[in-house]
Structures are given as C-alpha cells and as structure tokens.
Amino acid sequence: MLKVKRVQRILSIAFLSGLSACSSLPTSGPSFSKVTEVNDNEQLPQVNVVALDNNTVQTLYRQQESQLFSGFSSMSGRVGYAGVANIGDVLEISIWEAPPAVLFGGTFSSEGQGSGHLTQLPAQTVNAKGTISIPFIGNISVKGKTPEEIQFQIVSSLKRKANQPQAMVRIVNNNSSDVTVIRQGNTVRMPLTPAGEKVLDAISAVGGSPADIQDITVQLTRGPQVKTLAFETLIADPSQNISLRSGDVVSLLNTPYSFTGLGAVGTNQQMRFSTKGITLAEAIGKMGGLLDNRSDPRGVFIFRHIPFGQLDYEQQQLWESRGYGAGIDVPTVYQVNLLDPKSMFLLQRFPIQDKDIVYVSNAPLAEFQKFIRMIFSITSPVTSSVNSVNNL
C-alpha cells in the first residue's frame, strides 16, 4: 500500500511539473489560438488575418478571372492591323507609262511601236511627318492611307505630266504594326497582316514552348494592361486566343508553381502544381488530407504576401498607417473553419497561389495526448511496479 501511495505521489508531482512545461512540448507549428492572436504581440510585425467567407472567396476568384485575355478592354492600345501605311513603314512603289514615255524614260520596239515602261522607285520609308517623296510630285502624305488610296493619289498627280500613268504601291514592311514575341533565348518581331494573327500565332512564330506546358504562363502586355494566363488555359479555351494588336508584347514565362504544406497533414513538403491553378480543396488533397488524431479543423491557414496595390482603398489606408506603401507586400493569413459545412464550398473556390504556405494546426487534445505520452514514458518503470502491486 505504501508503494502505491508513493507511486501516486510521483505521478502527481510529474503531472504538475509537466503542466508547467506544456508550452515547451514539441509541436509541428503554432496552434490555432497562436495564429489568430498574432497581432496581440507588439514585438511582431502586423499581420492581416482574414477569416474566409463567401465575399472574400468570391473577390479572390474574380481577381483570378480578371487575368483572362478575353477581358482586355476593346479601347486599350492600338488597333489591329488595318492595312494602312503608318510612320516607319516601308513602301515599294512602281510606276508605268504608256508609249511614248518621256517623263521617266522611254523604250521603243524595232517596229517603232512603243511599249509601256516600268520605273521601280527606291524603297520609301514613311517619315515622322507621315510623308514620302515621289519624283516629279514631291512630298505626299500617306499616313493612314491604304495602298490603293496612295496609288490613286500618285496617278492623279502624274496625269498632266506623264502619258497614261499607272502606279502600284505595296507595303513591304509594316514596322508600325509589329508584335514583339519574347521567349527565353529567342525574341522576334512579328509583323501583323490582314489575316488577323492571334496569340497562338505569335507563340508559333517564336518556336513554341521551350519547357513542360504545365510550367508555362503566357503574359500579354497591351498598353498599360498586363495579364498572365496559363498556357494550358490558352490552348483549351479558344475565346482566350484573341487577335493581336500593333504594339502588343507576348511573353512566354517558364515559372513552375508550388506551395508548401505544413502541420497536421499527411505530407509536409513543397508541392508543385500546374500554372492553370488549383483550389484549396485540391491542395489539401495533395497534402494527404488532415490527420484525424492531430489536426484542428478550425485551424486551416493560408499564409501569403499580398502586393499593397491589390488591397482595396480602406485596407490601403489602414496599412499605410502601419508603414506600408506601394511596392511593399502585406503579410496575410487566411483562416477557414472546416467544422462549418459551408466551408466545403469555400474550399472549391479559394485559389491557391504560387509560394503559398498551407498550414493545419494541431488540436489542443493532440497536444494533451503528447503530454500524457511524455509523462508515462518517464514513469514507465514506476507504472510497471504499480501494475505488479495491483496484481498481487
């Protein structure tokens, strides 16, 4: 009996001493309360903690949809190729005269019959004023005119000087309607034609994708607007293969996407995903799901840095008061409670971004179980004695 009381006293002392050391128990990361109360510690930088709801998820989902090429404003940038001459274009001009041709020179056959004479003018580049120079005519304005309109203008000016003049005008280099296509190790300037080249035509012109299609994003810059789209989405959705406009810049970016899974999940590691994107539900699935005996379903967190410019006006005012501004990323933590059945719909809409950290905190009970296992591992010889006493 004395041995039993001694064992109980030892257990009580161990239990009380263990309680004081609970905060030092090994764990896979911060608990639910530690994450949600991160702003209470004045020694740490402020963190934007956002509880996921339908409005927040829909806003993030619409931001992702705004990157579609089909959303480019019809008024932005220059117009597509219209088949007219513009500043920087190179024109090829040919002029015919009926016999006897005297203005540009003449030719006669052996029978004395004259034949039409062709004069090929040197290539003409449209200058900054939008004009070119034609012999016996002088400078003429060609900016914004089609080859047919320029031909008519030349013939009209030569009618009283040449014998039945005819003209042929061709745009041999439409520098004003080029599209720049950039790929790692290769860059081309692709001229636009009346055929109406599209984004995939530009990618073909530069030699296609240099890497795995799942790692490639296509960036289209048009005036002040820049949009980035997964190559897979561009191929799968014909509405995103939009017609190009003069001055567009098409870039192929080899940027493999990944997120890191941590905490009470099946796999703690960095995981790659397609540039097409995945949802939080798919990310949890890739991590092997939540561990039933360890995870706190209330404590599913997504850690992310958000550019200051992507915040709404009220949020920008708030974070400006904390020393943030343009060019600085705001540390943000999104939190979702899986005990709420409605959260399952949020998981299917919340988009995971490149370099996100998805963390699942340990449940309080799991921490307590760690403590119990630690206590009984320390007192295992004593408990064996207790069992021996009880068996007497």
Side-chain angles (χ1 to χ4, degrees):
M1 183 62 70
L2 291 175
K3 289 184 178 181
V4 174
K5 288 183 178 181
R6 186 180 302 169
V7 170
Q8 290 174 342
R9 186 179 301 113
I10 293 173
L11 289 175
S12 298
I13 295 171
F15 185 79
L16 292 174
S17 62
L19 284 177
S20 64
C22 273
S23 60
S24 62
L25 285 173
T27 181
S28 59
S31 64
F32 168 79
S33 60
K34 289 294 184 181
V35 175
T36 55
E37 296 172 4
V38 67
N39 287 331
D40 294 339
N41 191 336
E42 297 180 356
Q43 296 179 349
L44 296 177
Q46 292 289 313
V47 176
N48 189 19
V49 181
V50 181
L52 282 190
D53 56 22
N54 187 60
N55 290 335
T56 303
V57 171
Q58 289 299 331
T59 299
L60 294 171
Y61 186 77
R62 284 192 296 269
Q63 287 178 358
Q64 187 181 48
E65 292 291 300
S66 69
Q67 291 297 309
L68 296 177
F69 289 170
S70 57
F72 268 109
S73 171
S74 59
M75 298 301 294
S76 61
R78 306 178 187 177
V79 297
Y81 183 67
V84 299
N86 217 319
I87 296 173
D89 289 348
V90 179
L91 307 183
E92 183 183 86
I93 301 173
S94 302
I95 298 176
W96 282 266
E97 298 175 87
V102 294
L103 187 61
F104 290 93
T107 57
F108 295 91
S109 65
S110 58
E111 290 84 10
Q113 298 291 329
S115 61
H117 177 69
L118 169 64
T119 300
Q120 183 79 49
L121 300 181
Q124 298 283 309
T125 301
V126 182
N127 61 26
K129 296 181 180 179
T131 64
I132 60 173
S133 181
I134 304 294
F136 304 106
I137 298 178
N139 293 333
I140 62 173
S141 177
V142 297
K143 180 181 177 181
K145 297 178 181 179
T146 64
E148 291 77 13
E149 291 172 332
I150 300 172
Q151 289 170 189
F152 179 80
Q153 187 176 2
I154 293 174
V155 171
S156 298
S157 299
L158 289 176
K159 271 187 177 180
R160 295 184 181 182
K161 301 176 183 179
N163 185 26
Q164 300 179 23
Q166 299 292 322
M168 177 73 72
V169 177
R170 189 166 65 95
I171 302 176
V172 294
N173 195 337
N174 56 333
N175 293 323
S176 64
S177 297
D178 277 351
V179 168
T180 303
V181 190
I182 302 172
R183 193 197 74 179
Q184 184 177 2
N186 192 11
T187 301
V188 300
R189 293 186 65 184
M190 183 185 76
L192 298 178
T193 70
E197 285 76 12
K198 298 186 176 183
V199 178
L200 287 177
D201 295 321
I203 295 174
S204 298
V206 81
S209 169
D212 190 339
I213 190 174
Q214 292 187 349
D215 296 335
I216 299 296
T217 55
V218 182
Q219 179 176 285
L220 178 56
T221 303
R222 176 173 292 176
Q225 297 188 69
V226 180
K227 295 182 183 292
T228 304
L229 190 66
F231 196 6
E232 285 183 293
T233 302
L234 178 63
I235 295 173
D237 186 356
S239 66
Q240 305 310 317
N241 188 28
I242 62 176
S243 298
L244 294 170
R245 301 185 177 191
S246 58
D248 283 353
V249 178
V250 179
S251 306
L252 266 69
L253 309 177
N254 184 6
T255 51
Y257 283 6
S258 65
F259 73 95
T260 303
L262 297 174
V265 292
T267 304
N268 280 230
Q269 65 180 26
Q270 186 183 53
M271 302 179 189
R272 293 180 60 176
F273 62 96
S274 167
T275 55
K276 189 176 181 179
I278 60 174
T279 64
L280 179 55
E282 293 170 321
I284 293 175
K286 288 178 72 71
M287 295 187 298
L290 277 62
L291 298 179
D292 292 340
N293 60 340
R294 278 182 49 193
S295 63
D296 185 351
R298 302 171 304 159
V300 178
F301 302 96
I302 301 90
F303 292 76
R304 176 181 301 172
H305 280 92
I306 298 180
F308 181 82
Q310 292 184 9
L311 300 176
D312 58 36
Y313 179 76
E314 292 184 359
Q315 286 288 311
Q316 287 185 2
Q317 294 296 311
L318 172 63
W319 287 94
E320 273 186 348
S321 66
R322 298 173 176 174
Y324 288 79
I328 303 178
D329 294 339
V330 176
T332 303
V333 179
Y334 294 100
Q335 180 256 326
V336 59
N337 180 8
L338 296 188
L339 293 179
D340 183 0
K342 295 179 181 178
S343 65
M344 298 302 170
F345 295 101
L346 303 180
L347 297 184
Q348 298 177 54
R349 283 283 185 174
F350 184 88
I352 293 295
Q353 294 183 4
D354 186 31
K355 302 301 182 291
D356 276 356
I357 294 177
V358 180
Y359 171 72
V360 179
S361 62
N362 281 352
L365 179 59
E367 298 301 323
F368 181 73
Q369 289 174 341
K370 285 184 181 179
F371 164 68
I372 293 297
R373 286 196 297 269
M374 181 183 74
I375 293 299
F376 279 99
S377 65
I378 295 173
T379 61
S380 56
V382 180
T383 55
S384 298
S385 301
V386 172
N387 291 333
S388 300
V389 171
N390 292 333
N391 292 329
L392 291 176

